[in-house]
Amino acid sequence: MPHLTSPHEATRTRVRDRLARAVLPHADTWERQGYIAPDGWRALGGHGLLELAHDGADFLHSAVFLEELGRTGYAGIRAGIGVHAYMATSYLRMFGTAEQRETLLSATCRGERIAALAISEAGAGTDLRHLLTRAEPAGDDGYRVNGQKCYVANGSQAGFYVTLVKTRETSHDRGLTGVSLLVIDADAPGVTRTAQPMTGWRSADVCRVDFDDVLVPADRLVGRRDLALMHLMKGLDFERLVAGLLAVGGVGHCLELLNRFVREHQVKDVPLASHQAVRHRVAELNSDLALIRTYAYHAAWLHSIGSLDTHTASVLKLKATELAVTAAQTCVQYHGARGYLDDATASRLYRDAMAGTIAAGASELLRDMIFETH
Ligand SMILES: Cc1cc2nc3c(=O)[nH]c(=O)nc-3n(C[C@H](O)[C@H](O)[C@H](O)COP(=O)(O)OP(=O)(O)OC[C@H]3O[C@@H](n4cnc5c(N)ncnc54)[C@H](O)[C@@H]3O)c2cc1C
């Protein structure tokens, strides 16, 4: 793989082993209960898996970790960890003050405080201009927050939410202006969270979070007031890169299962793989994965040198998550009814894959951006 050398492969072996110990024995329990257990988070922290690099040359080690996290085959778990260790905390790492980084990040690295990202609302997902959550000045210092966020991963377990709020009134046709990022503590008076169980990504702990007259100190502002759009543009490209790398690992897991199954499963006394149509279908999927995986590490390398662009991040996220759907659908089809059982792995992969093309930017939005940035 281009850009990867023997230290990266050593990281692969190490993180695969640690994920096998910290995640796989508990994964089905977390899926059933709908969240990663607190001692699971602490174990991940203890293994050093929540503090890998967000930038620079070391990001390639993170890329390997993200692929391996995807290869666990549990997209809800990978989403929870991805949001905590990368997507939500990236805003603190990139734009937070020294004090915010010191007080919040050390606890997240140990898995003692869980981070969540609260951007989407019922009427503002793809189109964030319709954001309704407001932060108004409260006294001399700080903000009073009112509003409701939806589909927040790690929602019930989070210690804090990196939250997108409107801090200045502007009209919709002026684009996404007058918005800011605030860190809001989950135990602040006026914060309530309600589970929003999803078809897939079951351990991702997706919740609605309500803010009712929540007082937030001024020092919880992340980055520039009213100018969070600038931060989001960078943060969302990073989110797409992370989502793409996770999806590449997920497709790898799915195709391992499929490659094995078509060789083993017999219909009319011959393995499925004895049919050319089956072999060619699986070969197409393996080929698509090989191309997209190479592109994923190209994108990770661009990020590591500070040159990731919206176009590359969007192409990766689009192609990796759409391949995940096609691969999972094929996996269910060739498994027959046994793959469609509620507790079948193929079934879970299919349910999970469907969320990948919506969360972190729907495929149609990505196609629009790819067209515009070409
Ligand atoms: C499992 C899961 C976890 C999530 N986790 C989080 C989280 O942790 N934090 C958070 O803030 N949000 C989270 N989200 C929300 C996610 O970011 C939004 O779902 C996403 O931005 C799309 O917004 P929407 O669902 O409101 O769909 P809408 O914006 O209402 O769009 C609906 C559909 O319209 C289509 N569409 C959109 N734009 C176009 C277009 N230009 N052309 C044609 N068709 C189009 C797409 O198919 C899209 O799915 C999560 C979502 C899911 C499914």
Side-chain angles (χ1 to χ4, degrees):
M1 183 59 54
H3 310 299
L4 296 190
T5 56
S6 55
H8 301 114
E9 293 310 331
T11 295
R12 186 181 301 286
T13 307
R14 193 168 59 250
V15 299
R16 190 180 286 185
D17 175 63
R18 291 177 185 181
L19 288 167
R21 282 186 281 142
V23 169
L24 293 181
H26 314 288
D28 289 325
T29 307
W30 296 346
E31 281 284 286
R32 271 194 303 277
Q33 71 190 21
Y35 58 89
I36 300 171
D39 54 357
W41 283 111
R42 282 193 291 273
L44 287 159
H47 284 296
L49 298 177
L50 303 178
E51 55 187 305
L52 295 169
H54 279 208
D55 54 19
D58 281 350
F59 181 74
L60 285 168
H61 291 276
S62 259
V64 168
F65 166 68
L66 289 164
E67 186 189 4
E68 288 302 316
L69 181 57
R71 280 169 66 111
T72 61
Y74 289 87
I77 295 171
R78 84 181 193 214
I81 297 171
V83 166
H84 167 84
Y86 292 90
M87 296 168 184
T89 39
S90 69
Y91 291 98
L92 296 169
R93 291 207 195 191
M94 284 191 287
F95 312 111
T97 61
E99 198 203 337
Q100 286 169 347
R101 289 201 297 272
E102 171 64 28
T103 53
L104 296 167
L105 288 182
S106 47
T108 60
C109 290
R110 291 193 299 272
E112 288 168 3
R113 269 195 111 189
I114 309 311
L117 186 58
I119 293 183
S120 305
E121 298 180 3
T126 304
D127 186 359
L128 292 173
R129 293 173 309 164
H130 293 274
L131 219 58
L132 290 178
T133 300
R134 296 270 182 285
E136 289 161 350
D140 296 338
D141 220 10
Y143 305 90
R144 182 186 306 277
V145 178
N146 281 288
Q148 184 182 84
K149 295 292 178 179
C150 289
Y151 322 124
V152 179
N154 297 335
S156 81
Q157 299 297 300
F160 64 87
Y161 304 94
V162 177
T163 312
L164 187 68
V165 294
K166 199 97 183 150
T167 36
R168 185 163 52 83
E169 290 309 320
T170 53
S171 69
H172 295 161
D173 52 16
R174 295 204 50 215
L176 184 62
T177 52
V179 290
S180 307
L181 287 165
L182 293 178
V183 173
I184 305 183
D185 285 337
D187 58 5
V191 176
T192 49
R193 33 214 179 159
T194 311
Q196 290 187 298
M198 293 250 158
T199 301
W201 284 27
R202 292 189 180 162
S203 12
D205 184 20
V206 175
C207 289
R208 193 184 76 215
V209 184
D210 286 88
F211 302 105
D212 184 11
D213 277 340
V214 179
L215 292 175
V216 180
D219 62 8
R220 289 307 185 93
L221 174 72
V222 181
R224 310 258 317 259
R225 181 177 162 154
D226 297 337
L227 296 175
L229 174 61
M230 287 185 333
H231 307 327
L232 282 181
M233 284 168 69
K234 208 160 175 209
L236 293 177
D237 281 347
F238 182 65
E239 184 170 320
R240 290 172 197 128
L241 170 64
V242 169
L245 286 159
L246 290 169
V248 162
V251 177
H253 172 86
C254 179
L255 293 187
E256 272 170 32
L257 176 68
L258 182 59
N259 278 298
R260 207 169 43 242
F261 186 80
V262 297
R263 285 171 172 82
E264 286 169 5
H265 186 67
Q266 304 223 344
V267 175
K268 290 190 181 170
D269 300 327
V270 293
L272 282 179
S274 62
H275 300 286
Q276 187 187 56
V278 174
R279 289 198 307 277
H280 286 191
R281 181 84 194 104
V282 175
E284 285 292 330
L285 292 168
N286 287 330
S287 309
D288 287 345
L289 175 60
L291 291 176
I292 295 169
R293 185 166 179 251
T294 305
Y295 192 80
Y297 279 100
H298 166 69
W301 171 76
L302 280 179
H303 178 72
S304 76
I305 59 166
S307 299
L308 181 68
D309 54 284
T310 300
H311 186 84
T312 307
S314 303
V315 169
L316 170 62
K317 201 270 178 177
L318 174 72
K319 288 295 177 184
T321 56
E322 299 243 319
L323 178 61
V325 174
T326 315
Q329 192 179 13
T330 309
C331 198
V332 172
Q333 181 68 29
Y334 286 152
H335 273 74
R338 64 192 61 69
Y340 196 60
L341 290 168
D342 191 56
D343 62 353
T345 302
S347 207
R348 189 189 67 241
L349 296 177
Y350 185 66
R351 285 197 304 266
D352 283 351
M354 291 305 295
T357 57
I358 300 173
S363 290
E364 292 84 351
L365 169 74
L366 298 176
R367 285 194 185 90
D368 277 345
M369 288 193 304
I370 290 165
F371 185 81
E372 281 159 20
T373 52
H374 188 70

